[in-house]
Amino acid sequence: MKEITYRKEGDYLIPNLTIKNDDKYYHIGKYGNLRLNFIREYKRGFYTELKIKGELRNHLIDIDKQAKKEVDKLIKEFAKIENVPVYFNGGDAMHWVGRMNNIKDRAEEIVFNEIIYV
């Protein structure tokens, strides 16, 4: 049995716990599911090949991770260019939400055309 170790932060002892980073437990998110629907509908040969080889889940996980990473990167870049704080820091909340939604929509549109729907 493994012994739990602790680290001290201020007056508290925090357990040093880690979660195994295993793709077996990875939840395929929005972008992976969009890719699945796309290849199932429009790239049937590729979809069938992935299913036969047992590589469909790995493909969807890779696409999901890549798309999330790219969307986050683009959001930060667009926000910097347009001088919009990535995190709300006071002021007109509705205006900030509107601008950030616009930035996210543009970032996702790029990812859809370059990663998901190809």
Side-chain angles (χ1 to χ4, degrees):
M1 187 167 137
K2 291 187 177 182
E3 188 175 320
I4 298 176
T5 60
Y6 296 86
R7 69 183 182 278
K8 188 167 183 160
E9 290 191 17
D11 293 335
Y12 299 98
L13 291 174
I14 308 295
N16 295 320
L17 302 176
T18 59
I19 298 174
K20 190 192 299 187
N21 189 9
D22 191 354
D23 284 344
K24 181 170 80 171
Y25 302 109
Y26 184 83
H27 172 73
I28 298 171
K30 173 183 178 178
Y31 305 113
N33 282 307
L34 287 170
R35 176 67 175 175
L36 173 62
N37 293 334
F38 174 74
I39 63 174
R40 189 185 297 148
E41 182 79 22
Y42 298 104
K43 305 255 184 185
R44 290 186 181 161
F46 181 61
Y47 171 76
T48 304
E49 181 183 340
L50 289 173
K51 288 276 286 189
I52 290 170
K53 290 181 177 180
E55 297 174 358
L56 179 61
R57 181 167 173 74
N58 290 335
H59 174 73
L60 297 176
I61 289 170
D62 291 343
I63 291 292
D64 193 63
K65 287 179 178 180
Q66 181 183 359
K68 283 179 185 176
K69 185 177 176 182
E70 189 65 22
V71 166
D72 288 344
K73 184 183 95 176
L74 288 170
I75 287 173
K76 288 175 185 170
E77 288 177 9
F78 290 156
K80 184 176 180 181
I81 290 169
E82 297 176 25
N83 200 24
V84 178
V86 176
Y87 301 103
F88 181 66
N89 59 4
D92 186 359
M94 293 305 291
H95 180 71
W96 178 82
V97 168
R99 291 186 72 188
M100 286 306 292
N101 282 341
N102 182 279
I103 288 171
K104 183 180 180 207
D105 289 344
R106 286 183 283 146
E108 283 186 333
E109 187 67 30
I110 292 168
V111 167
F112 291 159
N113 290 319
E114 292 182 359
I115 297 173
I116 308 292
Y117 302 132
V118 291

